[in-house]
Amino acid sequence: MADVLVAGLALGYLAREHREVLVAHLPLLALVTLVVAVFVVAAGRTLVRASDYVDDVLDAEFGPDRR
């Protein structure tokens, strides 16, 4: 968690020092942020579906009272 905080502070400092560059590349940064967000959501959905599949296989193999 401390690494994330340090990275956030460093990015904040760089954004303040290089505001013109940041504003010039804002559309690209927005696109990259959108792509990363879509990837994270898709990965999360895939993990949930995989977990449900494993639960279904275990239920079929050992019965619903396996827990």
Side-chain angles (χ1 to χ4, degrees), residues 1-11:
M1 186 66 179
D3 293 336
V4 173
L5 180 61
V6 170
L9 289 172
L11 286 174

Side-chain angles (χ1 to χ4, degrees), residues 10-60:
L11 286 174
Y13 173 77
L14 288 173
R16 197 178 97 218
E17 291 296 316
H18 303 286
R19 184 167 295 172
E20 301 84 20
V21 175
L22 182 65
V23 171
H25 292 91
L26 197 56
L28 178 63
L29 291 173
L31 179 63
V32 169
T33 303
L34 179 64
V35 168
V36 169
V38 167
F39 177 76
V40 167
V41 168
R45 291 180 54 146
T46 301
L47 289 174
V48 167
R49 281 190 292 165
S51 175
D52 289 344
Y53 174 76
V54 168
D55 281 343
D56 291 343
V57 168
L58 291 175
D59 283 344

